Amino acid sequence: MELYDTIIIGAGPTGLSCGIEAQRTGLRFLILEKGALVDSIRRFPTHMVFFSTAENLELGGIPFPSAHPRPTRVEALQYYRRVAEYFRLPIRLYTRVVAVERDGDHFRIRTAHGETLLSRTVIVATGYFDNPNPLGVPGEELPHVTHYYTEPYAYVHTRVAVIGGRNSAVETALDLYRHGATVFLIHRREWLGESVKYWLKPDIENRIRHGEIRALFRTVVEEIQPGRLILRELPTERRFELTVDFVIAHTGYRPDATFLESIGIRLQRPALIPVYNPETFETTVPGLYVAGSVVCGCETWNVFIENGRAHALPILADIRRRYVPAQ
């Protein structure tokens, strides 16, 4: 059985960055990805524009050409595909890791395909996009409720409740409004989040001011029923109903705590932040590292592509120094 120096779980920008550094240091490595290449970006809203500039999304010193001051989702997908091809990174897509087990000085990595791989070290760069924070209310599992949004055309001429007050909720509300939906923006706080993109903030504020999007601030969802929501106003505790056809809950995301703990990573609750060395990103399991947005747990506003990609350098330097025999 081939012995890898490191196996990287996740082929997002951080996983690709780790692969590039592993290649540059001459390590034997493999990237395993349960979905498509940069799968989270693939599932972003179709016409999403990044807050970051192209330079801050670059990997491996490869320039990111963009026709816009801030690149689009499509441009990012094309860029990261070309980067992976340029470096000829060994990536196995649609290969889910189901177990990581310590076996003496090595790890045994088992995949859903039934294969077992052997590696000196493992880097977990799985992000959080697969695990939305639940509302925790009755009816959340109904078919007209979703935590993801891609494009507006399924919602034309319908009544849609968008739950949340950060960038995702604001972008979704505006896109739906401009494609013929009647939009209700529901947020438990008194006003929108401070982090809303500066070019979106005046737009959403004007739409609310003119009554084109109805905002229900200081309001929480108590129950979801077919065709309606049961809401509660804060702090009056007044309960009322709202007729809707669809519910899009932008409640944020969290890492897969079950998987992380199953492979031995200790999590600090309630934020689900892994316990790791901030200088090397090694967890309490020797040779097991975390990288990218998975390190911030539920506090997803702390790590983005811009700073997550930088984790690759200290991680691979530590692996090279401590776990890989000199050639």
Side-chain angles (χ1 to χ4, degrees), residues 44 271 314:
F44 283 174

Side-chain angles (χ1 to χ4, degrees), residues 262-277:
S262 75
I263 65 177
I265 295 177
R266 288 172 49 198
L267 300 178
Q268 302 174 71
R269 297 180 182 274
L272 303 181
I273 297 174
V275 177
Y276 66 95
N277 183 328

Side-chain angles (χ1 to χ4, degrees), residues 161-225:
V162 179
I163 303 172
R166 295 179 181 268
N167 276 307
S168 295
V170 168
E171 289 187 275
T172 296
L174 288 170
D175 200 31
L176 289 170
Y177 157 71
R178 292 201 162 90
H179 288 85
T182 300
V183 182
F184 304 89
L185 184 61
I186 301 170
H187 188 36
R188 66 183 303 119
R189 302 192 184 280
E190 193 169 351
W191 194 242
L192 301 170
E194 292 298 321
S195 62
V196 172
K197 298 171 183 176
Y198 67 83
W199 64 88
L200 295 177
K201 195 160 188 176
D203 191 1
I204 189 68
E205 288 174 348
N206 284 328
R207 301 292 73 75
I208 292 171
R209 186 177 300 113
H210 296 150
E212 294 160 322
I213 292 174
R214 182 182 171 189
L216 301 171
F217 292 115
R218 295 192 295 181
T219 300
V220 296
V221 177
E222 294 241 303
E223 185 178 349
I224 303 172
Q225 299 177 358

Side-chain angles (χ1 to χ4, degrees), residues 255 260 265-276 290 293-300 302:
L260 296 178
I265 295 177
R266 288 172 49 198
L267 300 178
Q268 302 174 71
R269 297 180 182 274
L272 303 181
I273 297 174
V275 177
Y276 66 95
V290 286
S293 56
V294 72
V295 308
C296 64
C298 298
E299 298 176 357
T300 55
N302 287 329

Side-chain angles (χ1 to χ4, degrees), residues 70-145:
R70 288 172 173 77
T72 65
R73 163 188 167 274
V74 171
E75 289 176 323
L77 291 172
Q78 291 280 39
Y79 171 75
Y80 291 123
R81 176 182 65 83
R82 295 297 299 272
V83 166
E85 292 170 354
Y86 175 83
F87 287 101
R88 298 182 180 179
L89 299 177
I91 305 172
R92 294 189 191 176
L93 300 174
Y94 299 100
T95 303
R96 179 184 293 275
V97 172
V98 296
V100 176
E101 301 164 346
R102 189 80 186 182
D103 184 4
D105 293 334
H106 305 138
F107 290 93
R108 290 187 179 272
I109 297 93
R110 291 192 292 110
T111 74
H113 300 319
E115 62 186 329
T116 299
L117 304 167
L118 200 62
S119 181
R120 290 188 173 94
T121 63
V122 174
I123 303 172
V124 179
T126 49
Y128 52 73
F129 197 61
D130 281 338
N131 301 282
N133 292 320
L135 287 165
V137 300
E140 188 172 6
E141 74 289 346
L142 290 172
H144 68 293
V145 182

